[in-house]
Amino acid sequence: MPAGTIPTKRTIEFDWMPVKNWDKRHAEDVVVAQYEEVDLLFIGDSITAGWDWQIWDKHFKPLKAANFGIGGDHTANVLWRLQHGAIGNMQPKLIVLMIGVNNFGHLHETPEQVAQGVAKVVAQLQLAWPHSKILLNGVFPFDQLASSDNRKHVKKLNHLIAQLDNQTTIFFKDYGALLLEKNGNISTAIMNDFLHPTPKGYQIWADAMLPDIQQLLK
């Protein structure tokens, strides 16, 4: 069984995210889940956590949005969070999910194994909120060059998780191509570390995704 399918609490100490900080962020999410009214729930890793605040406040805050992204998380960490308080009393109308990129680097999983982890997270979300819609984002391409092996892994992963789309409660969208240059490479203007979007990259994502969010919230 792939490690990404087994609910796991964060135990790795990153310089930029000690476990105590991860615990704090999860505890904050538990309070939101317990007491706040949330219509639009974002779940994921650092790419979800890192929304430029001006873009967030303009586009998503008015939609009663909550951000349950935590940097460094893979699918097993998200499963653990959902099973330990992050569901709470919320009844979101729409869940925006992007997860899986850290399964490659932290768990050394194949695209097939990562896809199993993503499917497990989707199943957990459906169990918690059977009447909510899920906007499942394809994992963004990473590494500067289009020829990178990681690009092939992401493409394979997205092909696999796209099959979770049922056009009823699960809707798969891959916005990643919008972040690439014409030759397929990634510009530092869009991802300065070739993994995390810059504010310009987030604006591109928001502009593309917002019409889908508005439609699915109806």
Side-chain angles (χ1 to χ4, degrees):
M1 185 178 295
T5 65
I6 304 170
T8 307
K9 186 181 183 296
R10 174 73 67 79
T11 57
I12 300 174
E13 295 281 359
F14 296 111
D15 292 341
W16 46 268
M17 176 68 76
V19 171
K20 66 178 182 179
N21 288 9
W22 188 91
D23 289 340
K24 180 175 182 292
R25 294 192 184 191
H26 173 61
E28 291 169 349
D29 290 347
V30 169
V31 172
V32 171
Q34 187 73 19
Y35 297 109
E36 294 190 16
E37 183 179 348
V38 175
D39 287 341
L40 176 61
L41 178 62
F42 285 72
I43 298 178
D45 50 38
S46 58
I47 294 173
T48 294
W51 276 99
D52 178 83
W53 70 267
Q54 292 177 306
I55 297 173
W56 180 270
D57 283 357
K58 178 181 178 180
H59 294 298
F60 304 125
K61 188 175 181 180
L63 301 176
K64 296 182 180 177
N67 189 331
F68 282 16
I70 300 183
D73 267 11
H74 47 67
T75 56
N77 299 141
V78 171
L79 285 170
W80 189 93
R81 290 198 277 128
L82 289 169
Q83 294 180 10
H84 291 79
I87 292 172
N89 295 314
M90 288 187 298
Q91 291 298 324
K93 297 177 181 177
L94 176 63
I95 302 159
V96 177
L97 174 66
M98 183 194 284
I99 195 68
V101 70
N102 290 319
N103 290 54
F104 290 121
H106 297 171
L107 301 179
H108 309 292
E109 291 187 335
T110 66
E112 291 80 6
Q113 291 172 323
V114 182
Q116 289 183 57
V118 175
K120 200 87 169 183
V121 172
V122 170
Q124 181 70 68
L125 295 174
Q126 289 183 298
L127 182 65
W129 298 296
H131 303 295
S132 301
K133 294 176 181 177
I134 300 171
L135 178 56
L136 175 59
N137 275 241
V139 169
F140 285 159
F142 65 101
D143 284 356
Q144 180 181 12
L145 300 180
S147 58
S148 162
D149 285 342
N150 283 325
R151 296 294 195 89
K152 298 173 186 176
H153 296 330
V154 167
K155 186 175 181 180
K156 176 65 174 177
L157 169 61
N158 287 339
H159 172 74
L160 292 169
I161 65 175
Q163 297 171 41
L164 296 171
D165 187 318
N166 61 18
Q167 287 297 300
T168 304
T169 54
I170 306 169
F171 301 84
F172 175 81
K173 292 284 185 175
D174 185 1
Y175 306 103
L178 300 174
L179 303 175
L180 302 176
E181 298 182 289
K182 288 183 178 180
N183 63 2
N185 292 345
I186 294 175
S187 164
T188 54
I190 302 301
M191 294 181 179
N192 55 18
D193 62 354
F194 309 118
L195 174 64
H196 298 90
T198 60
K200 183 177 180 180
Y202 276 110
Q203 188 64 64
I204 292 170
W205 186 17
D207 290 342
M209 184 166 57
L210 194 60
D212 293 325
I213 287 175
Q214 292 170 332
Q215 180 64 35
L216 292 171
L217 280 173
K218 290 181 180 179

